[in-house]
Amino acid sequence: MSDVLTTMAYERARSVPEALTLLAEGGEDTRPISGGQSLVPMMNLGLAAPAFLVDVSGIPALRTIGVDGGHLVVGAAVTHAELTTDPLVAEHAPLLAMAAAHIGSRRIRNRGTIGGSVSHGDAAAELPVSCHVLEADYRVESLGRQEWRPAREFSLGYYQTDLRSGELVTAVRIPLRPRHGWGFHEYSRRAGDFALASAAAGVALDGDRIRSAAVAVTGAADRPLRLEAVERRLTGVTAAEAERVMSGLAAALDVADDPYTKGADRARLIEAMAVRAVRDACADARREQA
Ligand SMILES: Cc1cc2nc3c(=O)[nH]c(=O)nc-3n(C[C@H](O)[C@H](O)[C@H](O)COP(=O)(O)OP(=O)(O)OC[C@H]3O[C@@H](n4cnc5c(N)ncnc54)[C@H](O)[C@@H]3O)c2cc1C
């Protein structure tokens, strides 16, 4: 056992301005903490050792879900469990609810937050890949500054995101896209494990033909991967032809072996999940048209 004792300060912020001030004053060794479901395990493993934690989970402004100017806006401290039950999420971004239902166990979902998930940057996480497909933006604030950053550019690699010291994700906004259909599928070895492969899909139909498709997967790279070539192939085909045009996807993916899974096996899983997600999205879009 280590005989080195470390001390850590902890403050529970009551508002976004207070959190931003604490983060700015604390400097490089200060980290926001929200649900603690990724940061605390990292600290337990010695992979993170912040000197000062600013708890943002109880800030009322970060706990809201609303519709504003053509977007669904989800506060950063909304939990995964809340995403699965909120009526506005169900109506305007059901993909988020589908994806959140796959995260860990109920205990994790009750504490973990959307802001924490997108900031943490786990390449296997369900919410960032869904935010790619939803064309979401993240509101990033620091003292005296606020901007929206696209989800597509936010993940920079394993556990790396486009966030600097002093910055806080305060909301996720998702454009409202009526008459779209959505699908999410994943494969994990045991229920509650991180997925070996997952896929999120969004589809708009023109009659029975796919007018536009968005498909992104995890398991293929160090961040969510948008399958633009697949999206182009899907555009204009009928829903019934979707599986055929997606076959061969696995061969086109360059997935590295890891100690537990061969890259080729994982690529086949990714293809299977993507096919199922698109199939569900087409069925959902048909229901939306009816
Ligand atoms: C056993 C177990 C199983 C899990 N399984 C899954 C799974 O299957 N899928 C999955 O996606 N996740 C899984 N998780 C992780 C879980 O989803 C976390 O809730 C999520 O990754 C982080 O959210 P959090 O609110 O707990 O963040 P925290 O742990 O509080 O923080 C995570 C990181 O984000 C930063 N951060 C937090 N909030 C903000 C913010 N608002 N702005 C800027 N930075 C912020 C922190 O400084 C830290 O670096 C699992 C966790 C455990 C312990």
Side-chain angles (χ1 to χ4, degrees):
M1 252 175 79
S2 164
D3 56 0
V4 179
L5 284 177
T6 54
T7 57
M8 188 191 66
Y10 169 91
E11 196 83 47
R12 205 167 159 77
R14 283 155 301 179
S15 68
V16 170
E18 185 186 2
L20 298 179
T21 303
L22 290 168
L23 288 170
E25 286 173 358
E28 286 287 328
D29 287 341
T30 305
R31 296 273 282 271
I33 183 165
S34 198
Q37 298 305 298
S38 293
L39 185 52
V40 172
M42 300 274 281
M43 290 164 65
N44 286 340
L45 292 168
L47 298 172
F52 182 19
L53 289 179
V54 178
D55 188 340
V56 299
S57 63
I59 297 176
L62 303 189
R63 307 262 318 119
T64 60
I65 301 176
V67 174
D68 182 21
H71 291 88
L72 179 74
V73 183
V74 180
V78 168
T79 64
H80 309 323
E82 287 162 343
L83 292 176
T84 65
T85 55
D86 184 83
L88 285 176
V89 173
E91 184 178 352
H92 299 297
L95 181 61
L96 277 187
M98 294 175 198
H102 287 276
I103 297 174
S105 62
R106 178 166 285 279
R107 184 180 65 80
I108 307 297
R109 293 194 293 275
N110 281 343
R111 299 283 311 169
T113 65
I114 187 168
S117 177
V118 303
S119 303
H120 185 55
D122 192 312
E126 286 85 352
L127 296 180
V129 70
S130 304
C131 285
H132 272 230
V133 162
L134 290 164
E135 308 278 3
D137 298 305
Y138 305 145
R139 188 171 64 210
V140 177
E141 297 191 49
S142 54
L143 260 193
R145 202 179 158 150
Q146 180 191 114
E147 65 184 22
W148 290 97
R149 296 188 189 156
R152 286 187 73 165
E153 295 164 16
F154 200 73
S155 304
L156 302 180
Y158 291 115
Y159 306 110
Q160 286 177 39
T161 53
D162 185 18
L163 274 179
R164 283 167 285 278
S165 171
E167 291 184 333
L168 187 67
V169 173
T170 54
V172 176
R173 82 173 174 196
I174 295 141
L176 303 184
R177 282 191 285 173
R179 297 168 73 79
H180 276 63
W182 307 98
F184 187 95
H185 272 270
E186 73 172 42
Y187 178 86
S188 52
R189 286 188 205 279
R190 298 173 307 183
D193 279 3
F194 274 96
L196 283 177
S198 72
V203 160
L205 293 177
D206 229 342
D208 195 38
R209 294 203 174 265
I210 295 175
R211 176 159 47 85
S212 66
V215 188
V217 296
T218 69
D222 62 355
R223 66 196 82 178
L225 182 68
R226 186 85 180 248
L227 301 179
E228 286 166 355
V230 168
E231 293 171 2
R232 283 193 294 276
R233 265 184 268 146
L234 285 169
T235 305
V237 305
T238 65
E241 290 166 334
E243 185 166 349
R244 180 182 56 74
V245 304
M246 292 177 76
S247 75
L249 162 63
L253 292 170
D254 182 19
V255 184
D257 293 345
D258 67 31
Y260 310 104
T261 319
K262 286 199 164 44
D265 292 341
R266 198 191 279 259
R268 278 194 290 275
L269 283 173
I270 293 168
E271 177 175 325
M273 296 305 109
V275 165
R276 289 179 196 182
V278 169
R279 186 192 59 206
D280 282 6
C282 288
D284 189 31
R286 264 197 298 272
R287 282 192 294 273
E288 289 291 313
Q289 274 186 333

